[in-house]
Amino acid sequence: MAVYRLLPGLLVLCLGAILARAIELTAGFNHLLVAIALGFVLANGLGIPSRLEPGLATHKLWLGAGIVLMGASLTLNTILEAGAVVLFVVVLVTGLTIALVELLSRNVFGLADRLGSLLAAGAGICGVSAVVAVAGAIRAREGQIAYAAATVLLFDAATIVVYPIVGDLLGLSDVVFGIWAGVSMFSTGPVVAVGFARSELAGQWATMTKLARNALIGVVVLGYASYYARTGEGARPSVRTLWDEFPKFVLGFLALVVLASAGVFSPAQRASIENAYSWLFVLAFVGLGTEIRLAGLRNTGLLPVIVVLLSLLVGSTLSLLLLALLF
Amino acid sequence: MSIDRWQQAVTALRSYWTALERDWQSVAVGVATVALTTVFGVQIPW
């Protein structure tokens, strides 16, 4: 794609990021939440001209780059300290969520098998990305993909508002709040946003937990591909799927964690890198806000929403109880 | 370097960038930022 086509949207992301930071400095509102709100108002109030769309669509690139850079402010010790416990909670809650959504959608609410599987992947792993990845493996219909993606986006929008409120009401510590958001919310962007909106520590734990969850995507896609291939209706599964679906920016994140642990960065360099990822996150969240379209959210069906809501309530409560016991 | 060479280099860089998966593009942006701060000593304000 020609670079000049990206420039108008990129300029809007940059202006939104600067405005969000200025509002934080003058009015005290959190810059990440302001960034999402600015994107939301732009998309749903003013409308987005088509020439802005290519540039705005780059927001996931900036989110990934921000996560990579976040690795420089962590050390291996921090990760290993609670890594096994977090991994245990991630695998347990992810498995339970997928099983629960499948059970409810097939046996209780009578949704189509593939729609149930898309909802399960979206709720269990990483939102719309998981929906799209599993859709390819099980050859879901376009209508089902759109339905499942809209349901996930609806919950992304709702949880951005609800999680911080519940976290404050329950008086959760930053670490528990971060892991809880990372293990039970759906898409990576909203997880990072609510984490860092609470505190730096909560944001780091939310992101690390979510990355562990995202890393399971390959296994889930492979599992679904194998299941649907038995009926001759899915794509042919292969071990290569594990690599194809693996979020590669996690490797960049881990590389920086190793470098930071080895003491490669001076305090001043670390501060600069932290500032860089703060800017990248604000850019990304202006773009994330533009993806929350009220018109699209109205297209979700009631039954998929009920199925996902029930699984979210169970997964969220269970993970919170587990974390209260473990931390 | 002549203008033609610059254009060739930019074209090659652009096609290499376009061929990269988005996740690797994120890693490339991260590497470029780290290089700016560590090698060139650029201070990024907040």
Side-chain angles (χ1 to χ4, degrees), chain A residues 3 21 31 60-62 64-65 69 243 246-249 251 256 265 269 272-273 275-276 278-279 282, chain B residues 14 17-18 21-31 33-34 37-39 41-46:
Chain A
V3 177
R21 177 70 177 135
H31 61 284
K60 286 183 180 168
L61 165 66
W62 312 123
L69 291 177
W243 172 247
F246 185 80
K248 278 86 175 178
F249 61 82
L251 300 177
L256 280 195
F265 306 118
Q269 289 168 341
S272 258
I273 293 173
N275 291 344
S278 297
W279 280 116
V282 199
Chain B
R14 191 161 53 187
W17 174 260
T18 314
E21 215 179 300
R22 192 183 62 215
D23 282 357
W24 288 121
Q25 289 179 341
S26 291
V27 175
V29 172
V31 169
T33 311
V34 170
T37 54
T38 55
V39 181
V42 174
Q43 299 285 316
I44 297 167
W46 175 239

Side-chain angles (χ1 to χ4, degrees), chain A residues 86-94 97 123-125 163 176-186 191 205-206 209-210 213 315-316 318-320 323:
Chain A
V86 170
L87 205 57
F88 166 73
V89 178
V90 164
V91 173
L92 186 74
V93 175
T94 301
T97 304
I125 305 281
Y163 265 62
V176 169
F177 178 79
I179 299 174
W180 178 54
V183 83
S184 56
M185 284 174 65
F186 295 168
V191 168
W205 278 104
T209 308
K210 190 67 179 66
R213 206 166 134 213
S316 183
L318 177 81
S319 54
L320 203 48
L323 292 171

Side-chain angles (χ1 to χ4, degrees), chain A residues 18-31 34:
Chain A
I18 292 168
L19 185 58
R21 177 70 177 135
I23 290 174
E24 179 181 56
L25 289 173
T26 50
F29 296 115
N30 182 278
H31 61 284
V34 172

Side-chain angles (χ1 to χ4, degrees), chain A residues 222-239:
Chain A
L222 193 61
Y224 271 120
S226 307
Y227 174 78
Y228 281 94
R230 286 190 324 170
T231 59
E233 296 167 345
R236 204 185 155 92
S238 87
V239 179

Side-chain angles (χ1 to χ4, degrees), chain A residues 182-245:
Chain A
V183 83
S184 56
M185 284 174 65
F186 295 168
S187 299
T188 306
V191 168
V192 178
V194 299
F196 279 99
R198 186 181 175 96
S199 74
E200 190 74 13
L201 186 64
Q204 289 174 345
W205 278 104
T207 311
M208 282 192 289
T209 308
K210 190 67 179 66
L211 290 184
R213 206 166 134 213
N214 289 359
L216 298 176
I217 180 69
V219 179
V220 171
V221 170
L222 193 61
Y224 271 120
S226 307
Y227 174 78
Y228 281 94
R230 286 190 324 170
T231 59
E233 296 167 345
R236 204 185 155 92
S238 87
V239 179
R240 197 186 146 81
T241 308
L242 290 174
W243 172 247
D244 288 343
E245 300 300 338

Side-chain angles (χ1 to χ4, degrees), chain A residues 74-326:
Chain A
L74 298 167
T75 61
L76 280 173
N77 280 345
T78 320
I79 295 176
L80 295 176
E81 230 169 57
V85 176
V86 170
L87 205 57
F88 166 73
V89 178
V90 164
V91 173
L92 186 74
V93 175
T94 301
L96 180 95
T97 304
I98 290 175
L100 189 62
V101 174
E102 286 285 1
L103 179 83
L104 288 172
S105 52
R106 287 170 192 241
N107 301 334
V108 179
F109 293 98
L111 297 178
D113 286 0
R114 280 180 172 69
L115 178 58
S117 299
L118 295 181
L119 291 172
I125 305 281
C126 51
V128 177
S129 308
V131 170
V132 174
V134 169
I138 67 174
R139 295 192 175 136
R141 291 203 311 270
E142 280 199 5
Q144 294 172 326
I145 301 170
Y147 222 48
T151 308
V152 167
L153 288 172
L154 176 71
F155 281 92
D156 280 345
T159 49
I160 285 175
V161 178
V162 172
Y163 265 62
I165 295 171
V166 175
D168 283 344
L169 284 177
L170 297 178
L172 300 180
S173 71
D174 287 349
V175 174
V176 169
F177 178 79
I179 299 174
W180 178 54
V183 83
S184 56
M185 284 174 65
F186 295 168
S187 299
T188 306
V191 168
V192 178
V194 299
F196 279 99
R198 186 181 175 96
S199 74
E200 190 74 13
L201 186 64
Q204 289 174 345
W205 278 104
T207 311
M208 282 192 289
T209 308
K210 190 67 179 66
L211 290 184
R213 206 166 134 213
N214 289 359
L216 298 176
I217 180 69
V219 179
V220 171
V221 170
L222 193 61
Y224 271 120
S226 307
Y227 174 78
Y228 281 94
R230 286 190 324 170
T231 59
E233 296 167 345
R236 204 185 155 92
S238 87
V239 179
R240 197 186 146 81
T241 308
L242 290 174
W243 172 247
D244 288 343
E245 300 300 338
F246 185 80
K248 278 86 175 178
F249 61 82
V250 174
L251 300 177
F253 166 82
L254 290 174
L256 280 195
V257 171
V258 171
L259 289 176
S261 306
V264 168
F265 306 118
S266 68
Q269 289 168 341
R270 238 166 130 142
S272 258
I273 293 173
E274 282 175 15
N275 291 344
Y277 79 66
S278 297
W279 280 116
L280 286 168
F281 282 157
V282 199
L283 273 186
F285 293 142
V286 176
L288 175 72
T290 64
E291 284 214 342
I292 306 172
R293 308 280 173 99
L294 287 176
L297 298 183
R298 286 193 205 105
N299 292 337
T300 55
L302 186 61
L303 286 184
V305 169
I306 293 173
V307 168
V308 175
L309 177 64
L310 289 174
S311 79
L312 177 66
L313 288 174
V314 172
S316 183
T317 310
L318 177 81
S319 54
L320 203 48
L321 289 174
L322 267 174
L323 292 171
L325 284 173
L326 295 170

